[in-house]
Amino acid sequence: MTTSGRMRLLTDEQWARLVPCLPHNTGKAGCPFADHRRIVEGIIYRYRTAIPWRDLPREAFGPWQTVSKRPRRWAADGTWDTVLAQLTAQADSIHRVDWTVSVDSTINRAHQHATNTVRPEKDTGAATCRSKTEVPATRSEPAGHAIGRSRGGLTTKIHHAVDGNGRPLAVVVTPGQVHDAQVLPLLLGDIRVPRLGRGRPRTTPDALLADKAYSSKQVRADLAARGIRTVIPERADQQANRKRKGCSGGRLPRYGHRDLQA
């Protein structure tokens, strides 16, 4: 049975692009997967309407328990990562990925129940990357579950890199007190868009847009060494320090992307 009527959220063309990335029943032991299209559209419907899982229309999407378990299952086995990588690669192959990348972060308050966990400044035994054969550190469970102590109390900071059209390219989760500029190398290192044909994945943006939190000589030097043009405004204290030094204070940082200076 497939979703019909107003509950149909994906076009046939969109589904044709998505279905090769999803797991199939071939060689799978136990109960076979339910109709993937109903499940995916149920997930989209739930997040679009912000309703509880229990309120999903059963006649359209089947049992809510089946739909609610699938996001966690696919997150754990890497299915969502595969979907994002393949769809981004398809967009890049037809030049729809704008490689003028923007980076920023947002802070999220930890739930009140997090106060009963292990102290955030101590390791909770989460997985760490010890060799090149293990999962990269940015994709494993952060130490302390990325719960830190900042001005807002127990917080987690989400660092995001998106292309010029807002497509997500990389995400790194850290404790709330970690500075944005400190995470920038990890964030850029996690950008990896595969090619549909032969060739290495693309990992280097054409230009980088960021706010004053990323303004430092080290950041600008690292980006220049990689050939990445930057549009990062200078902080007021850096401007004052440069003017105070006079001729020895150096030049103004040059914006590589002239059409974005405004």
Side-chain angles (χ1 to χ4, degrees):
M1 183 182 297
T2 58
T3 311
S4 60
R6 65 185 181 88
M7 300 299 183
R8 177 61 61 86
L9 303 176
L10 296 172
T11 65
D12 292 338
E13 180 182 359
Q14 291 172 332
W15 180 247
R17 293 181 179 180
L18 186 61
V19 68
C21 307
L22 302 179
H24 48 77
N25 290 317
T26 304
K28 177 180 179 295
C31 182
F33 285 119
D35 180 28
H36 281 329
R37 184 162 187 170
R38 293 183 67 193
I39 299 299
V40 172
E41 290 184 333
I43 295 170
I44 297 173
Y45 182 85
R46 188 263 176 179
Y47 282 105
R48 178 175 293 180
T49 58
I51 61 175
W53 287 111
R54 292 176 179 271
D55 292 342
L56 274 176
R58 185 183 181 92
E59 65 279 4
F61 306 115
W64 68 267
Q65 296 93 334
T66 303
V67 183
S68 65
K69 292 177 182 178
R70 201 61 61 86
R72 295 194 301 271
R73 181 172 186 171
W74 284 353
D77 64 15
T79 298
W80 292 129
D81 291 335
T82 301
V83 169
L84 178 60
Q86 290 300 316
L87 294 183
T88 306
Q90 292 174 18
D92 189 41
S93 67
I94 55 177
H95 308 290
R96 290 192 176 181
V97 174
D98 185 349
W99 283 97
T100 300
V101 174
S102 300
V103 297
D104 206 350
S105 66
T106 182
I107 289 183
N108 295 272
R109 290 285 300 273
H111 193 273
Q112 58 184 358
H113 293 168
T115 58
N116 296 326
T117 61
V118 178
R119 292 176 59 187
E121 58 270 19
K122 293 186 177 181
D123 193 351
T124 59
T128 55
C129 186
R130 294 187 176 88
S131 69
K132 295 182 179 180
T133 59
E134 295 182 9
V135 178
T138 53
R139 296 186 185 275
S140 60
E141 179 71 14
H145 302 295
I147 298 177
R149 190 175 298 278
S150 60
R151 291 183 180 180
L154 295 179
T155 55
T156 293
K157 183 177 286 189
I158 302 175
H159 307 261
H160 233 124
V162 300
D163 78 337
N165 298 312
R167 291 187 178 92
L169 297 176
V171 60
V172 175
V173 181
T174 65
Q177 75 274 10
V178 177
H179 195 275
D180 292 357
Q182 182 181 349
V183 185
L184 184 59
L186 286 175
L187 191 61
L188 294 180
D190 224 22
I191 296 177
R192 188 178 181 86
V193 177
R195 312 281 187 179
L196 290 184
R198 299 179 61 182
R200 296 180 179 180
R202 177 161 181 175
T203 59
T204 304
D206 292 331
L208 182 77
L209 280 65
D211 58 23
K212 295 181 180 180
Y214 298 89
S215 178
S216 72
K217 289 184 178 180
Q218 185 63 47
V219 168
R220 298 180 194 277
D222 291 343
L223 294 175
R226 295 185 59 183
I228 302 175
R229 301 188 301 272
T230 60
V231 181
I232 303 177
E234 198 176 32
R235 297 199 308 266
D237 62 320
Q238 294 174 337
Q239 295 177 12
N241 185 52
R242 177 172 43 77
K243 292 178 180 179
R244 185 174 61 253
K245 290 183 177 180
C247 296
S248 61
R251 297 181 178 180
L252 282 167
R254 298 179 61 184
Y255 293 127
H257 233 27
R258 294 184 178 180
D259 56 334
L260 297 175
Q261 289 186 30

